[in-house]
Amino acid sequence: MNLGIEGRTALVVGASKGIGQEIARELKAEGCKVFTISRTGKTDFNMDLMSQEATDLLAHAMSLTPPEIIVHVVGGSQGLTETLLPSTDWARVWRLNLGIAHDINRHFIPVMQRNKWGRIIHISSNAQRVGSGYGPYTSAKAALDGYVKQVSREFSKDGVIITAVAPGIIYTPGRYYASLDQKQKEEYFAKYLPIQRFGSAEEVAKVVAFLASDHAAYMAGSIVQVDAGAR
């Protein structure tokens, strides 16, 4: 299938490894000119985006080549697992999972509006659907889903299609689920994953590439589950 994005400029935020790295690779394979950013790693920009000043600096750096496709992969719990932490700690997790994306979007959506074409894809999670994960993280992802639903309504008429992908457990070397032995995996699959395997970064990247394409023009506000029907 021709996705119709050859020659488009894309920005992948959080592209040093795993899902983000695979998304960058997939978009390049589709002919996009891809810029990547991470805190560390072999990416075009190495920046910590936890401050608004940093996202402003990124926007300035890309002002001559504004992205037509933005994929927000950055996210996580920041190691904050306790529910009764101060709201300032929760705010750090919200900043990582939603605030950074919004501050980047606010710079480039007006350009997309003028050009009558744009794609913004957020990597969400299935944690808030299945009731797993920690309070700060799952609430931040729930807020992200609400953001995608509401903000897409405002800009879809201008050809700016904002969506999200909600992965389940994706096999990632070095992460917790990759360390499970065969018996632990079988127990987990029996309880949570009828498909009997973990997902791959490549499978997520293929969905993201489709959402970045012309074929996703009627998918504004969609949150696509890529979790094999996890329960």
Side-chain angles (χ1 to χ4, degrees), residues 1-8 23 25-32 69 117 119 121 202 204-217 219:
M1 179 186 291
N2 182 0
L3 297 184
I5 54 176
E6 185 175 357
R8 296 282 190 188
I23 289 169
R25 186 180 294 118
E26 185 70 24
L27 292 176
K28 287 178 182 178
E30 292 293 335
C32 291
I69 298 165
W117 199 95
R119 298 288 185 270
I121 303 101
E202 291 87 349
V204 177
K206 294 287 186 184
V207 176
V208 170
F210 180 84
L211 291 174
S213 76
D214 287 335
H215 303 295
M219 294 186 70

Side-chain angles (χ1 to χ4, degrees), residues 7 48 51 111 219:
D48 185 338
S51 71
V111 181
M219 294 186 70

Side-chain angles (χ1 to χ4, degrees), residues 6 11 54 56 77 96 102 109 116 126 150 152 175 188 190 195-196 206 224:
E6 185 175 357
L11 172 65
D56 290 346
S77 68
L96 183 66
H102 173 68
I109 285 177
K116 298 297 182 185
N126 77 338
Q150 189 59 40
S152 68
R175 300 295 293 272
Y188 184 88
I195 201 171
Q196 299 289 294
K206 294 287 186 184
V224 182

Side-chain angles (χ1 to χ4, degrees), residues 17-177:
K17 57 186 178 181
I19 291 173
Q21 187 178 66
E22 192 59 38
I23 289 169
R25 186 180 294 118
E26 185 70 24
L27 292 176
K28 287 178 182 178
E30 292 293 335
C32 291
K33 181 180 181 180
V34 179
F35 292 90
T36 55
I37 182 168
S38 66
R39 285 183 300 174
T40 59
K42 296 180 180 180
T43 51
D44 296 298
F45 300 98
N46 290 142
M47 300 173 66
D48 185 338
L49 297 174
M50 285 297 283
S51 71
Q52 184 175 325
E53 291 77 12
T55 53
D56 290 346
L57 183 62
L58 173 65
H60 178 74
M62 294 204 65
S63 60
L64 296 180
T65 54
E68 300 161 284
I69 298 165
I70 304 175
V71 186
H72 295 287
V73 188
V74 168
S77 68
Q78 297 238 312
L80 300 176
T81 62
E82 296 181 24
T83 300
L84 299 182
L85 291 169
S87 60
T88 50
D89 288 331
W90 281 55
R92 285 167 48 204
V93 182
W94 282 45
R95 170 68 187 174
L96 183 66
N97 290 277
L98 175 55
I100 289 172
H102 173 68
D103 279 341
I104 293 173
N105 291 348
R106 62 185 287 271
H107 283 288
F108 295 117
I109 285 177
V111 181
M112 295 176 178
Q113 285 181 285
R114 289 195 294 272
N115 294 332
K116 298 297 182 185
W117 199 95
R119 298 288 185 270
I120 300 175
I121 303 101
H122 298 261
I123 300 301
S124 184
S125 172
N126 77 338
Q128 63 275 23
R129 182 181 68 82
V130 300
S132 65
Y134 303 113
Y137 174 77
T138 55
S139 66
K141 290 301 188 184
L144 174 61
D145 288 354
Y147 175 89
V148 168
K149 288 287 187 183
Q150 189 59 40
V151 176
S152 68
R153 293 171 60 89
E154 185 170 349
F155 301 109
S156 60
K157 65 183 182 297
D158 300 315
V160 181
I161 306 303
I162 302 172
T163 58
V165 173
I169 302 301
I170 303 302
Y171 180 86
T172 306
R175 300 295 293 272
Y176 170 75
Y177 289 99

